[in-house]
Amino acid sequence: MALSISSIATLTLTRFSSSSFNRISKRFSSRAPTNTHNRPQMSSSSSSPTEPKQSEKISAPYGSWKSQITADVVSGASKRLGGTAVDSLGRLIWLESRPSESGRAVLVREPDRPEGEPVDITPKDYAVRTLAQEYGGGAFSVSGDTLIFSNYKDQRLYKQSLSSNDSSPVPLTPDYGGPVVSYADGVFDARFNRFVTVQEDRRQSSTNSTTTIVTVGLDGKDIREPKVLVGGTDFYAFPRLDSKGERLAWIEWCHPNMPWDQAQLWVGYISESGEVHKRICVTGSDPTIKESPIEPKWSSKGELFFITDRQSGYWNLYKWVESNNEVLSVYSLDAEFSKPLWVFGINSYEFIQSHEQKNVIACSYRQNGRSYLGILDDAQGSPSLLNIPFTDIDNITLGINCLYVEGASEVDPLSVAKVTLDEDKSKAVDFKIIWSSSPDCLKYKSYFSLPELIEFPTEVPGQTAFAYFYPPSNPNYQATHDEKPPLLLKSHGGPTAESRGILNLSVQYWTSRGWAYVDVNYGGSTGYGREYRERLLKKWGIVDVDDCCSCAKYLVGSGKADGERLCITGGSAGGYTTLAALAFRDTFKAGASLYGVADLNMLRAETHKFESHYIDNLVGSEKDYYDRSPINFADKFSCPIILFQGLEDKVVPPDQARKIYEALKEKGLPVAHVEYEGEQHGFRKAENIKFTLEQQMVFFARLVGRFKVADEINPIKIDNFD
């Protein structure tokens, strides 16, 4: 449900006391929608405030401000990044998903000359995306001038030459008559001229697929069934070969665990015939040690490094001493050097230089709500931090005398930057943005609301949680006298995920119109260690809901929001938290659920294999499944709700939204329901992203806002209201 990836009994809510809050804050530098139930009925009666002159500000109610950050701007700036690589000439290759092309994902190469234009590598009849484990990731690999990629339509692997612009992709895997076998996270095996990759086979069952590590021949002349190299358990990830092709490392885990709960790191030895003939469990087999290893990687000297949370509960860097099968800490810090394995292909560190006695490693980590990029000498054991503008970092790719860093900041949208290092590989001497999800966004900089990291107390005495708060911000408007802004609280998906304080134009869409916005990292979120992450075990629908309510009340008590205009939104698992908060609490006055969960038992019965046991750890007993499902307590809902759903969603099937819609409609509450053809879990088409954003805005404005929106939006019909 990343449940990006990505339910309660009646509970007593401890009364809020603003004096008990201890807060810390920190500024960072840094096809049309198918509405199956309702069609647009009327033009909004909203009047558009006159744009003021640049030298003055207009006093107008919060929420009514006019902004240049329109829904068209937001939907057009919603390109996604699916990974990076470097070709034989050191040119960056990236995978971008384009809302303007219905979410089609295309591989692009940076220009040969600085004044040139990026070049699309992917032919127009193809799209690069894998459906492995539903969330995908690791959909392509590059070695020299050879590209291997997963094609979205048929899920077959294709080989393509990067040295010829006229090269057509050549299929490597069989045609099964449909997208029933997927591949991800592959690496080249030069020793046997093959590709080693994770395979998910759904031919026998779409909900109980078979996952293995397989080999695929690269000659392209004779397409054969992939050969199983490693199999027998439920899940695999990160197959990684040493430089000689003699040892293969991988991560594996089995039900009921998720990879961040408990996993194992294995090494297999490759025989002369290309088989794995001996295996060693490096870490994760000791039942007394709770750990989740991730990101194994071989150095040029043949040493195996990896990240795990075995000691402190934080994902830190370790290495394996093969001679005595010992695990040693490379560097220990109360910070996260990796993240949950929702998608394949995570790459948080790279070896940038090797000497006879040491390895030099570029790595990133998160601590106290921000990311850092450093150079770690494993012989000395302490990193040198690089001074770059990004305060949020995802993946790192090694270039020629440089690093390509995926990152963002409070004023930089998701981007890829080229970071050039000095001769000692200890300092950044140049920083250049190569790709941006929204290259034109700086023209709206005067509207930007900067995130403030807040820490607030939870329902558990002495315990705190975290959020990013964005105050209303518009250079042309100011609030009317003594008015407090309406607040939109975002509950992120996952629920094992993390909200980050970076530039997101969908957030700025709200704040530039006079809304306050808060993005909550409730207990169970990542970025704060295992103990924080495990607050949600057996308590999903309780801890997350309590924390969201506590955060909203804190902001009201701090004078930052209007307590009578509190709204909540969320997608997937965040949609579940939204529905649960609206069913079992009275904090919020309206909500929006995007492909959210309403029935936990239905989710458990219908979801895909990867998450089929996930919620067992999050919920608990059969009684808990019933008591925490909002659909079973429609009588407890007391405020308006709007629901958005993709009709091809296999993570949270459409019946979830339909059931909650029918229940609320029958109860007599104002409710609206929108379904999108061709959308899966999360919306990728620009027109649907735009429609969802605008309809949330006008829904909240009409029902709880006490203001008229400045935009011309045709609101859909709201049952029990219009």
Side-chain angles (χ1 to χ4, degrees):
M1 297 169 289
L3 237 178
S4 32
I5 127 155
S6 282
S7 319
I8 314 166
T10 304
L11 300 168
T12 302
L13 181 65
T14 303
R15 190 165 183 83
F16 167 77
S17 171
S18 60
S19 63
S20 67
F21 280 84
N22 173 33
R23 166 180 159 277
I24 62 170
S25 67
K26 181 178 182 181
R27 291 278 183 184
F28 295 126
S29 302
S30 19
R31 184 174 48 138
T34 302
N35 176 13
T36 57
H37 300 289
N38 307 306
R39 293 287 183 184
Q41 298 293 310
M42 51 182 278
S43 177
S44 172
S45 60
S46 307
S47 59
S48 300
T50 304
E51 282 280 13
K53 296 179 181 179
Q54 200 65 27
S55 59
E56 63 184 30
K57 285 196 174 188
I58 280 184
S59 293
Y62 285 118
S64 69
W65 303 349
K66 190 173 183 63
S67 171
Q68 293 182 16
I69 304 176
T70 64
D72 281 311
V73 169
V74 176
S75 61
S78 298
K79 288 191 294 185
R80 301 186 184 189
L81 188 64
T84 57
V86 174
D87 69 8
S88 61
L89 299 178
R91 295 172 298 189
L92 179 68
I93 295 171
W94 64 87
L95 178 61
E96 65 177 45
S97 174
R98 299 170 175 172
S100 61
E101 298 182 33
S102 298
R104 175 174 173 257
V106 180
L107 282 164
V108 184
R109 184 176 60 208
E110 71 172 316
D112 296 326
R113 299 180 303 276
E115 68 275 9
E117 293 293 326
V119 178
D120 284 7
I121 297 171
T122 307
K124 293 187 180 299
D125 292 338
Y126 296 83
V128 181
R129 182 181 165 199
T130 176
L131 296 176
Q133 288 183 185
E134 202 61 35
Y135 300 110
F140 74 100
S141 294
V142 175
S143 179
D145 291 323
T146 303
L147 162 69
I148 307 295
F149 70 90
S150 173
N151 185 43
Y152 173 58
K153 186 175 181 180
D154 57 15
Q155 288 295 287
R156 299 173 73 184
L157 286 181
Y158 288 78
K159 180 173 73 170
Q160 185 178 357
S161 172
L162 296 175
S163 58
S164 172
N165 292 331
D166 298 326
S167 174
S168 297
V170 176
L172 296 175
T173 54
D175 183 354
Y176 298 110
V180 292
V181 178
S182 299
Y183 308 89
D185 209 15
V187 293
F188 289 81
D189 184 356
R191 182 183 175 194
F192 294 99
N193 191 31
R194 63 187 183 178
F195 193 64
V196 180
T197 183
V198 176
Q199 179 194 74
E200 183 183 36
D201 189 341
R202 300 179 296 277
R203 283 176 288 179
Q204 298 298 318
S205 172
S206 60
T207 57
N208 190 24
S209 57
T210 300
T211 303
T212 52
I213 297 175
V214 301
T215 63
V216 177
L218 291 180
D219 58 25
K221 298 176 182 178
D222 186 14
I223 299 177
R224 299 179 180 178
E225 190 76 21
K227 185 177 181 180
V228 175
L229 195 61
V230 180
T233 196
D234 291 319
F235 302 100
Y236 296 93
F238 293 104
R240 298 294 184 263
L241 284 162
D242 67 13
S243 60
K244 296 180 180 180
E246 297 175 346
R247 294 169 296 175
L248 176 72
W250 70 86
I251 300 294
E252 66 177 53
W253 69 99
C254 56
H255 288 319
N257 293 311
M258 298 301 284
W260 50 83
D261 295 326
Q262 187 78 30
Q264 295 180 344
L265 168 60
W266 286 78
V267 168
Y269 294 84
I270 311 297
S271 68
E272 292 299 322
S273 62
E275 306 285 346
V276 173
H277 69 96
K278 184 177 72 171
R279 306 181 187 188
I280 293 176
C281 185
V282 173
T283 190
S285 62
D286 187 342
T288 65
I289 300 176
K290 186 184 292 187
E291 64 177 317
S292 50
I294 193 172
E295 295 195 61
K297 186 173 296 187
W298 299 92
S299 72
S300 59
K301 295 191 301 179
E303 293 178 302
L304 180 63
F305 286 71
F306 59 97
I307 295 171
T308 192
D309 56 349
R310 60 169 22 212
Q311 293 177 343
S312 66
Y314 289 89
W315 275 310
N316 283 185
L317 196 59
Y318 289 78
K319 69 178 177 180
W320 177 50
V321 181
E322 184 177 14
S323 58
N324 56 359
N325 194 22
E326 182 183 6
V327 170
L328 297 179
S329 173
V330 175
Y331 183 65
S332 181
L333 185 69
D334 286 352
E336 300 282 43
F337 282 73
S338 190
K339 57 187 176 182
L341 202 165
W342 278 109
V343 299
F344 292 104
I346 299 170
N347 199 55
S348 302
Y349 68 101
E350 284 276 17
F351 298 105
I352 62 170
Q353 179 180 333
S354 293
H355 296 296
E356 188 174 341
Q357 298 299 324
K358 65 179 181 178
N359 294 290
V360 178
I361 304 166
C363 55
S364 66
Y365 63 85
R366 284 188 67 75
Q367 187 177 50
N368 298 326
R370 69 162 289 167
S371 297
Y372 299 86
L373 178 65
I375 305 298
L376 178 64
D377 182 337
D378 78 326
Q380 297 178 357
S382 60
S384 300
L385 296 182
L386 301 182
N387 184 19
I388 64 173
F390 288 164
T391 56
D392 187 277
I393 297 169
D394 268 334
N395 296 310
I396 302 170
T397 297
L398 182 64
I400 298 176
N401 297 320
C402 68
L403 299 170
Y404 291 101
V405 180
E406 300 174 28
S409 74
E410 61 180 0
V411 294
D412 297 299
L414 176 62
S415 308
V416 180
K418 181 178 182 179
V419 180
T420 304
L421 304 175
D422 64 0
E423 290 185 2
D424 294 332
K425 305 297 188 294
S426 61
K427 295 180 181 180
V429 296
D430 191 34
F431 179 91
K432 179 183 178 182
I433 299 293
I434 303 297
W435 176 90
S436 173
S437 60
S438 179
D440 298 327
C441 70
L442 284 181
K443 68 174 67 172
Y444 309 109
K445 188 173 181 179
S446 63
Y447 290 86
F448 291 171
S449 174
L450 303 183
E452 179 184 344
L453 179 65
I454 61 172
E455 183 176 5
F456 59 91
T458 70
E459 292 293 299
V460 178
Q463 187 183 83
T464 60
F466 303 90
Y468 295 99
F469 174 72
Y470 300 79
S473 178
N474 188 306
N476 302 319
Y477 290 89
Q478 61 187 10
T480 52
H481 184 63
D482 290 338
E483 185 192 12
K484 296 294 188 295
L487 174 74
L488 182 61
L489 183 143
K490 167 74 176 299
S491 174
H492 67 66
T496 310
E498 180 187 2
S499 295
R500 298 189 173 196
I502 64 175
L503 179 62
N504 183 336
L505 290 185
S506 65
V507 174
Q508 305 299 326
Y509 175 85
W510 294 90
T511 56
S512 64
R513 282 163 175 75
W515 282 74
Y517 191 105
V518 65
D519 210 345
V520 183
N521 277 318
Y522 48 77
S525 303
T526 50
Y528 300 92
R530 178 181 281 268
E531 183 179 346
Y532 193 89
R533 193 167 74 239
E534 291 186 344
R535 288 183 185 180
L536 209 58
L537 295 182
K538 306 301 181 185
K539 293 182 179 180
W540 189 32
I542 298 176
V543 168
D544 50 324
V545 172
D546 282 344
D547 287 358
C548 286
C549 292
S550 294
C551 183
K553 291 185 175 184
Y554 163 65
L555 292 171
V556 171
S558 302
K560 296 179 181 293
D562 183 347
E564 296 302 313
R565 293 189 292 174
L566 302 178
C567 300
I568 184 171
T569 186
S572 191
Y576 166 72
T577 301
T578 293
L579 293 173
L582 296 173
F584 304 116
R585 304 289 190 277
D586 59 3
T587 302
F588 300 98
K589 309 305 179 184
S593 170
L594 285 64
Y595 39 92
V597 179
D599 188 328
L600 293 173
N601 270 310
M602 182 186 292
L603 177 70
R604 177 170 57 171
E606 296 182 354
T607 198
H608 57 129
K609 179 185 176 183
F610 179 59
E611 295 182 86
S612 58
H613 291 268
Y614 180 33
I615 57 174
D616 290 340
N617 293 330
L618 295 175
V619 180
S621 70
E622 291 299 321
K623 183 177 185 301
D624 291 327
Y625 270 89
Y626 182 88
D627 288 347
R628 297 189 207 161
S629 293
I631 192 63
N632 298 325
F633 297 91
D635 60 306
K636 293 185 179 296
F637 284 97
S638 59
C639 67
I641 300 174
I642 186 169
L643 306 115
F644 301 88
Q645 179 68 45
L647 290 176
E648 295 182 10
D649 194 335
K650 295 180 181 178
V651 178
V652 181
D655 279 350
Q656 294 261 325
R658 290 171 184 160
K659 284 182 67 176
I660 204 75
Y661 165 72
E662 294 295 342
L664 298 181
K665 183 179 177 181
E666 183 178 353
K667 179 179 170 63
L669 283 175
V671 62
H673 181 207
V674 178
E675 293 183 329
Y676 296 121
E677 292 181 357
E679 290 284 18
Q680 299 173 345
H681 197 63
F683 306 147
R684 289 175 167 82
K685 299 180 181 181
E687 63 268 29
N688 297 340
I689 295 170
K690 173 187 175 182
F691 192 81
T692 301
L693 193 58
E694 288 185 333
Q695 292 304 320
Q696 286 185 82
M697 173 67 74
V698 75
F699 184 87
F700 293 147
R702 296 178 70 199
L703 292 164
V704 302
R706 300 200 303 271
F707 58 83
K708 296 178 181 180
V709 296
D711 306 87
E712 291 296 331
I713 302 172
N714 290 327
I716 60 173
K717 179 179 180 293
I718 302 172
D719 292 291
N720 301 319
F721 183 76
D722 290 321

